[in-house]
Amino acid sequence: MHRRHVLAVCALALAAPAFAEAPALLLAKVYQPGLPLADYWVSEKYDGVRGYWDGQRLRTRGGESITPPAWFTAGWPNAALDGELWAGRGRFAQAQSAVRSQEAGDAAWRQIRFMVFDLPAHPGSFDERLPALQTTVARMGQPWVQAVAQHRVGSHDALHALLLRTVRAGGEGLMLHRGASLYRAGRSDDLIKVKTHDDAEARVVAYLPGKGKHAGKMGALLLEMPDGQRFKLGTGFSDADRTTPPPLGSWVTYRFLGTHHGGLPRFASFVRVREDMAATQ
């Protein structure tokens, strides 16, 4: 990217493109010690693309339509299913590529599993939704659709040990789901993610020009967090990322180590573009 182009882009305001309405999803908060673990079910956190089956079509968390081969969703129920389109541990890029491509064929989708972890339209608690979910998936009888295994842990030490075993085996982390909770959109203590590091998503609002060896390229991204706060992200990028940075309006995942008093991330580093999240203003 030419330096003059970077400077020009920095001054541009974003035009809000039109996108389908995002589904009202249950979202996770970050684990904090002291949580009453006896109230929660524990499962692996699958590093894939969030998939929401609304009874008619499959959509991303941003509301965009997903177009798998017809056989992939043939015979799926009219009831909503919430899950993760997953290609296996350490294979996020493969899952994202299949989901984002309008032309991904059978070979790509044969590697994808839909890991179902909730029934959004079920009126009961998660304790009640869980057996209904397992029955629903069993009736579907499709090996590429699986109910996420849920179990209990007895202590925080046991949770930590399970987390380390999962990560060492190539997993991303764990999820905690409160048994007494109803399915409610938004973030709450009903759903908790447990990882060995912090990460989050933010939207790209501008490019900041590089200096020194990065002159003429992107030096940093100006990101906007969901709460409206903005910060500069300047580390974790390859030369290719700096030459062709993530599109304005796109969402990116960044890793960080705690937050400052005002809530901004400390030691933030770029991880990847989240192409399953719609670019919005």
Side-chain angles (χ1 to χ4, degrees):
M1 177 180 293
H2 194 277
R3 181 182 179 84
R4 286 179 297 177
H5 178 63
V6 172
L7 293 172
V9 169
C10 291
L12 290 177
L14 288 175
F19 287 92
E21 183 179 356
L25 298 180
L26 174 65
L27 302 174
K29 294 181 71 174
V30 177
Y31 171 79
Q32 299 291 336
L35 202 69
L37 289 180
D39 296 343
Y40 287 83
W41 293 90
V42 183
S43 64
E44 180 172 343
K45 185 180 190 302
Y46 293 98
D47 190 18
V49 176
R50 185 80 172 262
Y52 180 82
W53 173 254
D54 63 9
Q56 302 294 327
R57 61 194 176 111
L58 193 57
R59 294 189 285 159
T60 69
R61 63 182 289 181
E64 296 174 296
S65 293
I66 300 171
T67 56
W71 58 261
F72 193 85
T73 58
W76 284 19
N78 292 330
L81 304 173
D82 193 1
E84 200 82 3
L85 292 160
W86 187 62
R89 289 172 170 173
R91 303 176 74 181
F92 172 83
Q94 181 174 333
Q96 181 167 257
S97 176
V99 169
R100 293 295 298 176
S101 174
Q102 297 295 315
E103 300 178 354
D106 282 5
W109 279 93
R110 292 290 179 191
Q111 305 302 314
I112 304 298
R113 281 169 277 174
F114 187 39
M115 308 299 293
V116 185
F117 49 70
D118 216 332
L119 297 178
H122 191 288
S125 67
F126 187 68
D127 287 336
E128 296 166 330
R129 297 198 303 276
L130 186 54
L133 182 158
Q134 293 166 340
T135 298
T136 297
V137 171
R139 285 176 177 168
M140 293 169 72
Q142 297 173 336
W144 56 91
V145 181
Q146 298 180 20
V148 170
Q150 304 280 348
H151 56 277
R152 304 280 192 175
V153 294
S155 68
H156 289 274
D157 286 343
L159 180 69
H160 182 68
L162 178 60
L163 174 64
L164 292 182
R165 289 198 302 272
T166 302
V167 171
R168 287 169 183 162
E172 186 187 15
L174 303 173
M175 298 298 296
L176 303 177
H177 206 142
R178 193 164 66 88
S181 64
L182 302 178
Y183 192 101
R184 300 180 296 177
R187 297 188 190 279
S188 71
D189 287 339
D190 293 344
L191 188 66
I192 303 289
K193 59 182 177 181
V194 188
K195 302 180 70 172
T196 56
H197 59 269
D198 296 321
D199 61 29
E201 284 77 40
R203 185 174 61 91
V204 180
V205 296
Y207 304 134
L208 305 178
K211 300 178 181 179
K213 68 177 182 178
H214 299 313
K217 300 180 179 180
M218 181 271 291
L221 299 177
L222 181 63
L223 300 182
E224 183 174 274
M225 300 164 65
D227 65 3
Q229 292 193 89
R230 295 184 174 188
F231 68 96
K232 299 176 184 178
L233 183 70
T235 61
F237 299 103
S238 67
D239 287 342
D241 293 330
R242 294 186 185 278
T243 301
T244 308
L248 291 172
S250 65
W251 289 78
V252 300
T253 298
Y254 60 93
R255 185 171 293 182
F256 62 103
L257 297 174
T259 60
H260 295 288
H261 180 70
L264 293 178
R266 300 174 65 248
F267 307 110
S269 178
F270 174 76
V271 177
R272 61 193 176 205
V273 177
R274 286 305 304 245
E275 295 181 358
D276 56 316
M277 298 179 67
T280 57
Q281 189 165 25

